[in-house]
Amino acid sequence: APRPSVPHAAAAVINFCEHCDRSILRPYLPDLLGKLLALLRRDGQRRVQEQAVTAVASVADVAESDFTPFYDDFMPPLKYFLKAAEGKEYRMLRGKAMECVSLIGVAVGKDKFGADAHEVMQLLIATRSADLEPDDPQVGFMLQACARICKCLGEAFKPYLPYVIPPLLASAQIDPELHVTDADDDEEEEDEEGMESVTVAIRGQGNKRITIRTSALEEKATACSMLHSYVMDLKEGFFPYVQEVARILVPLIKFQYMDDVRTAAMMTMPELLESAILAVKAQVPNATEQLVHQLKEFMLEPVLEQLKNEPDVETLSCMLESFGELIGHGAETAAAQLSEPQMRACATVLKVLLEESLERREERLRESADDEPDEEEQEQLEGVAEREEGLVSSLVECIGTLFKVYGSRFLPIFHDETAQPSLDADGR
């Protein structure tokens, strides 16, 4: 049996690497990696191997190119785990090996990893093609590993997109199975695994039990985040998928059950537009100025609508950053520029959001004046104030971007908006 100190020592390495700088780790690499390599080779001690693989991944993540001299020692045993570690009990080891291989690839770079990357991707594709159970941990590891390998290979990753993107599109469209039932009818029912429920009192309708599949929500959020990662890393190389991804992600900007989904969908918008703009410049087949214009038109109204309705300040702040990038692309091509009515719509939304933020600040000041907050409440208030400050900063950035792109054309619109009081949400 493995000595208890071995897994603990590997766990200590993982924790140390989380807070460690590359220069601090450098002198210890030969000894540390030598010992971890010995643990990897301990056949029949699966748990020890799992911990060792995770520790190697953590070291590679911090060491970056300093890991290169050790690459040839580690890649063969890690690939062996991907090829030969079969059976349900080895799923976690295989998943961790995927994570480790991809982190090493990013650490050492394309020149060193390129030769093995093709073989690793073939192994990942073969695993993906097998009928994996929904709770198989390899699925999550595989998604992350493919995204890292894409980051490492860049353009050279394009041949693998037909295997990687369709499953992500399917996951982005997964139904979270929301159900509303009378709470009084099924009080005794326990939540099914992967489902979560809350009971709420709805005026005039009594107590209702709302149930949703949280595992589906997480899968949806991960897929959206991965799609953002691919388009960001591949730029015009992602162009063949731009329209389909836009079709699926634009409606998810207003997905009300999870802010991670909304944020990832919104972050992908400027990246998709940039991919199309760069594809036109690179003369990629089917990439046209007209398509760039259509894409901008397809995105803008849903984006503005969600900015007006977003309930969470932190999410709104993040969305505004993406919105700023989206309108900033107008500087690159006329096809991505806003019409005058669109500029006015943007200015109106930004003004309303700024006024709402100032109103919330006034409300907080009144509340704290009426009621002396204790230490915990004071801390919460400071956190809220900080988030609002971030929001105002994002709003100002967006206004600055409109001036930067449109200059004197935006000035009269800005003047009109600041000269008159804004309407509330009901148009009064």
Side-chain angles (χ1 to χ4, degrees), residues 57-90:
S58 301
V59 171
D61 196 25
V62 175
E64 295 175 4
S65 59
D66 292 339
F67 194 91
T68 307
F70 310 97
Y71 178 91
D72 293 333
D73 292 328
F74 282 92
M75 197 48 68
L78 289 167
K79 285 197 300 187
Y80 175 77
F81 290 149
L82 293 180
K83 288 177 199 168
E86 292 179 345
K88 194 166 180 175
E89 70 275 21
Y90 286 105

Side-chain angles (χ1 to χ4, degrees), residues 176-189:
E177 297 173 44
L178 181 84
H179 300 294
V180 181
T181 53
D182 285 327
D184 308 327
D185 294 350
D186 55 9
E187 259 179 48
E188 303 308 312
E189 274 188 34

Side-chain angles (χ1 to χ4, degrees), residues 122-401:
Q122 295 300 334
L123 290 166
L124 294 185
I125 289 164
T127 305
R128 180 87 215 192
S129 308
D131 280 336
L132 300 180
E133 292 174 23
D135 68 338
D136 193 324
Q138 291 180 91
V139 176
F141 283 116
M142 203 180 321
L143 288 174
Q144 301 281 357
C146 289
R148 286 192 203 101
I149 293 169
C150 173
K151 199 176 278 296
C152 175
L153 297 184
E155 278 281 300
F157 188 84
K158 273 167 60 178
Y160 305 111
L161 288 179
Y163 302 98
V164 171
I165 300 300
L168 288 179
L169 294 175
S171 293
Q173 295 174 88
I174 197 168
D175 177 12
E177 297 173 44
L178 181 84
H179 300 294
V180 181
T181 53
D182 285 327
D184 308 327
D185 294 350
D186 55 9
E187 259 179 48
E188 303 308 312
E189 274 188 34
E190 276 193 27
D191 284 343
E192 192 188 318
E193 199 177 336
M195 302 291 281
E196 215 168 86
S197 65
V198 289
T199 303
V200 293
I202 298 174
R203 189 179 294 174
Q205 295 182 42
N207 289 337
K208 296 288 179 184
R209 180 182 168 99
I210 300 172
T211 309
I212 200 161
R213 187 171 289 284
T214 47
S215 55
L217 284 180
E218 281 153 22
E219 184 178 334
K220 202 177 189 75
T222 301
C224 292
S225 175
M226 294 286 106
L227 288 166
H228 170 254
S229 175
Y230 282 117
V231 65
M232 189 170 68
D233 290 334
L234 290 173
K235 306 292 185 198
E236 67 270 28
F238 193 84
F239 176 73
Y241 297 94
V242 161
Q243 286 171 280
E244 196 178 358
V245 172
R247 180 182 61 76
I248 291 165
L249 292 199
V250 165
L252 293 180
I253 290 168
K254 62 177 186 198
F255 184 76
Q256 58 187 317
Y257 307 120
M258 196 181 204
D259 51 10
D260 285 355
V261 172
R262 296 197 300 278
T263 303
M266 183 71 102
M267 285 169 70
T268 312
M269 295 302 113
E271 303 296 344
L272 291 170
L273 192 61
E274 185 186 26
S275 173
I277 292 167
L278 293 173
V280 172
K281 289 178 182 172
Q283 298 183 322
V284 173
N286 303 320
T288 62
E289 295 278 356
Q290 188 188 4
L291 192 138
V292 171
H293 176 75
Q294 287 169 347
L295 201 56
K296 181 263 297 181
E297 293 291 310
F298 182 59
M299 293 172 177
L300 189 66
E301 202 175 319
V303 165
L304 287 175
E305 201 55 37
Q306 186 54 33
L307 291 177
K308 281 192 288 188
N309 298 324
E310 177 53 53
D312 181 71
V313 168
E314 220 161 343
T315 304
L316 178 57
S317 201
C318 184
M319 285 182 164
L320 282 163
E321 282 178 39
S322 299
F323 175 63
E325 288 170 31
L326 186 70
I327 55 179
H329 288 320
E332 291 159 45
T333 172
Q337 289 198 350
L338 305 176
S339 64
E340 191 190 325
Q342 287 174 333
M343 275 192 261
R344 283 193 183 278
C346 291
T348 303
V349 169
L350 294 173
K351 181 189 176 186
V352 168
L353 293 175
L354 187 55
E355 287 177 343
E356 285 174 355
S357 179
L358 295 173
E359 279 169 22
R360 288 192 295 269
R361 187 178 71 171
E362 292 299 320
E363 182 66 27
R364 283 196 311 278
L365 289 172
R366 278 197 300 274
E367 281 176 7
S368 56
D370 294 344
D371 190 16
E372 190 69 32
D374 61 28
E375 198 177 325
E376 194 180 324
E377 286 169 337
Q378 186 61 37
E379 216 170 277
Q380 282 177 339
L381 284 170
E382 282 168 12
V384 170
E386 205 174 300
R387 288 192 286 278
E388 288 285 0
E389 211 173 290
L391 174 62
V392 171
S393 174
S394 299
L395 285 163
V396 172
E397 285 280 329
C398 289
I399 295 164
T401 301

